[in-house]
Amino acid sequence: MNIHVATDTVTIGEKGLHVDLPNGRNCYFNYYWLRDNCPTSFDSTTRERQFDIFHLSEAPRPQLAFVDGDRLVVSWEHEDHTSHYPMSMLTQYADGKRRADPADLPRRAWFSDNYASIPRFSQAELKEDPAKVAEWIKAMIVDGLTIVTDMPNSKEGLTETVELMGHVRPTFFGDYFEVYTHINPTNTAYTAKALELHTDTPAEEFAPGIQFLHCTANSVDGGLSIYSDGVAVANDFRKLDPEGFRLLSEIDVPFFCEHDNYDMRSRQRVIELDQHGEVSGLTISQHMLDIFDLPQHVLDDYYPAFCRFGKMLQDDKYMMRFLMKAGECMVFDNHRIVHGRLAYSATSGERFLRGTYTDRSEMRSTYRALTSQGRFKA
């Protein structure tokens, strides 16, 4: 006959137990969760889960459970195993809230007067000081846009910069792209024409998150860079047109990029929301927007909202205009910051930009590693 033992501070139930926590609360914990997350389930060297709950022959059930100092002790039926749970761990997970994330930082919306306030970092300083890299990435998360100065004039220098926060993320254009006036362009960026505000590669199912745009020469007449903060615009749009905001944040629309040897297609929402329901970014490009294949009656409301929002993006309240300088690298969130340029005279000088990408998830991963201890560090 099985013996189920509890104490005044622990009550054993059918599917879980109740524990009195140090903060005075009595909280419930499911048996499967407890057994799966025994501290011994995780290897301290690999930092991976080694225990496989699928291998249990019976549903987990405690034979003995009690609090010993700052730990909950549970001995399991059908197993020769006893678990010891720090009360701090139980307190952390008692309410089913997400684990705290140091990279989950509030965004700062900015407007057309932001150029002088763009966070700037020297490439050489970033290479030498991990604390500066953490500061740089924090600025990327909060502002979405930074400038790295004193860049070496080489692809290798650009790669070094990217690898401070992640890895070079290829697209269907390759590992890198070069922006200058092409003889037979396959993209509006490779001409001297004006390039409307957009996010890059929206036709990819998962477009890259962080863009690096390194200027090595810029002596042409015209060609001012233009940038707007999609978070600032979408936040204002939400107040002005709540129903239009709902449509743009809930309905997927088609994007494409097609040429002789590729035919890329995706469906994206123009306004992106994060886990808190806050605006985290955009996907928008008039060059790569496919023919809307939504029901025509839906377009009765969607198109006007889409056009109102697009016009807001180009409003002088939001749009920065400035000249990129040789040796500068614009680093920005490709899911938040819309960018473009004004037209320029291709014969008036030289304009050459080299670009590449990494992913937002890699950037945030680097930030966490630089600023927090993690679960397994001593």
Side-chain angles (χ1 to χ4, degrees), residues 227-343:
Y227 284 80
S228 291
D229 182 4
V231 165
V233 181
N235 284 343
D236 285 355
F237 183 66
R238 188 179 218 165
K239 298 171 188 174
L240 294 171
D241 186 354
E243 176 59 15
F245 180 92
R246 184 190 69 79
L247 293 170
L248 268 60
S249 62
E250 292 184 0
I251 296 177
D252 295 332
V253 294
F255 291 88
F256 80 108
C257 190
E258 178 185 331
H259 217 263
D260 293 343
N261 60 351
Y262 52 82
D263 183 351
M264 190 70 70
R265 308 179 193 187
S266 76
R267 303 189 73 86
Q268 311 286 351
R269 295 180 184 181
V270 171
I271 297 176
E272 172 189 309
L273 304 180
D274 66 13
Q275 66 196 42
H276 308 293
E278 299 295 328
V279 176
S280 59
L282 310 178
T283 298
I284 195 164
S285 171
Q286 291 302 86
H287 304 290
M288 296 185 182
L289 183 67
D290 208 341
I291 297 172
F292 281 168
D293 52 8
L294 304 175
Q296 294 296 313
H297 71 274
V298 173
L299 294 175
D300 288 344
D301 296 320
Y302 190 92
Y303 248 124
F306 180 70
C307 291
R308 281 194 294 272
F309 182 66
K311 289 177 181 177
M312 281 184 68
L313 283 173
Q314 300 173 353
D315 192 284
D316 287 340
K317 175 181 177 181
Y318 306 101
M319 190 190 300
M320 286 193 299
R321 300 174 177 86
F322 59 90
L323 182 68
M324 277 194 73
K325 304 182 181 91
E328 290 184 339
C329 184
M330 306 299 298
V331 186
F332 56 94
D333 187 333
N334 184 51
H335 289 259
R336 170 179 173 179
I337 308 301
V338 288
H339 68 289
R341 63 146 193 269
L342 304 183

Side-chain angles (χ1 to χ4, degrees), residues 21-313:
L21 298 179
N23 59 13
R25 297 177 58 204
N26 182 268
C27 294
Y28 173 79
F29 297 93
N30 169 270
Y31 293 142
Y32 279 97
W33 184 89
L34 284 167
R35 182 62 188 92
D36 201 28
N37 295 293
C38 173
T40 62
S41 294
F42 299 89
D43 186 277
S44 60
T45 301
T46 66
R47 306 190 186 189
E48 295 179 350
R49 185 191 298 275
Q50 298 299 311
F51 172 72
D52 189 345
I53 200 168
F54 298 159
H55 292 172
L56 288 183
S57 59
E58 304 281 349
R61 174 82 178 170
Q63 185 169 10
L64 177 66
F66 60 93
V67 172
D68 181 16
D70 62 353
R71 293 179 181 270
L72 169 70
V73 180
V74 179
S75 293
W76 298 99
E77 281 187 2
H78 313 297
E79 289 186 85
D80 182 19
H81 186 77
T82 299
S83 299
H84 299 260
Y85 304 91
M87 298 299 275
S88 58
M89 171 192 171
L90 299 180
T91 302
Q92 178 182 356
Y93 288 96
D95 296 317
K97 294 180 180 179
R98 295 188 182 207
R99 183 156 64 107
D101 183 358
D104 185 18
L105 300 170
R107 300 169 191 86
R108 182 186 74 88
W110 51 261
F111 300 87
S112 61
D113 59 354
N114 187 58
Y115 180 71
S117 301
I118 297 174
R120 289 164 168 82
F121 301 87
S122 161
Q123 199 252 17
E125 189 176 31
L126 290 173
K127 287 176 61 180
E128 293 297 322
D129 187 356
K132 273 293 177 185
V133 174
E135 185 182 338
W136 174 43
I137 296 178
K138 181 177 182 179
M140 285 295 304
I141 297 171
V142 173
D143 291 74
L145 171 68
T146 64
I147 297 177
V148 177
T149 60
D150 307 314
M151 285 285 293
N153 185 2
S154 67
K155 186 180 291 185
E156 292 74 21
L158 181 57
T159 302
E160 287 177 346
T161 309
V162 173
E163 290 181 346
L164 291 170
M165 69 165 60
H167 296 87
V168 170
R169 188 338 194 131
T171 69
F172 57 95
F173 293 122
D175 291 348
Y176 301 87
F177 60 90
E178 295 177 340
V179 182
Y180 59 94
T181 306
H182 292 218
I183 300 299
N184 295 305
T186 59
N187 189 290
T188 307
Y190 304 152
T191 72
K193 299 176 183 177
L195 186 60
E196 297 290 349
L197 290 169
H198 64 284
T199 58
D200 270 20
T201 67
E204 291 206 17
E205 183 177 359
F206 301 104
I210 305 298
Q211 181 167 175
F212 294 74
L213 204 51
H214 175 206
C215 178
T216 64
N218 196 6
S219 58
V220 296
D221 294 333
L224 290 180
S225 295
I226 52 176
Y227 284 80
S228 291
D229 182 4
V231 165
V233 181
N235 284 343
D236 285 355
F237 183 66
R238 188 179 218 165
K239 298 171 188 174
L240 294 171
D241 186 354
E243 176 59 15
F245 180 92
R246 184 190 69 79
L247 293 170
L248 268 60
S249 62
E250 292 184 0
I251 296 177
D252 295 332
V253 294
F255 291 88
F256 80 108
C257 190
E258 178 185 331
H259 217 263
D260 293 343
N261 60 351
Y262 52 82
D263 183 351
M264 190 70 70
R265 308 179 193 187
S266 76
R267 303 189 73 86
Q268 311 286 351
R269 295 180 184 181
V270 171
I271 297 176
E272 172 189 309
L273 304 180
D274 66 13
Q275 66 196 42
H276 308 293
E278 299 295 328
V279 176
S280 59
L282 310 178
T283 298
I284 195 164
S285 171
Q286 291 302 86
H287 304 290
M288 296 185 182
L289 183 67
D290 208 341
I291 297 172
F292 281 168
D293 52 8
L294 304 175
Q296 294 296 313
H297 71 274
V298 173
L299 294 175
D300 288 344
D301 296 320
Y302 190 92
Y303 248 124
F306 180 70
C307 291
R308 281 194 294 272
F309 182 66
K311 289 177 181 177
M312 281 184 68
L313 283 173

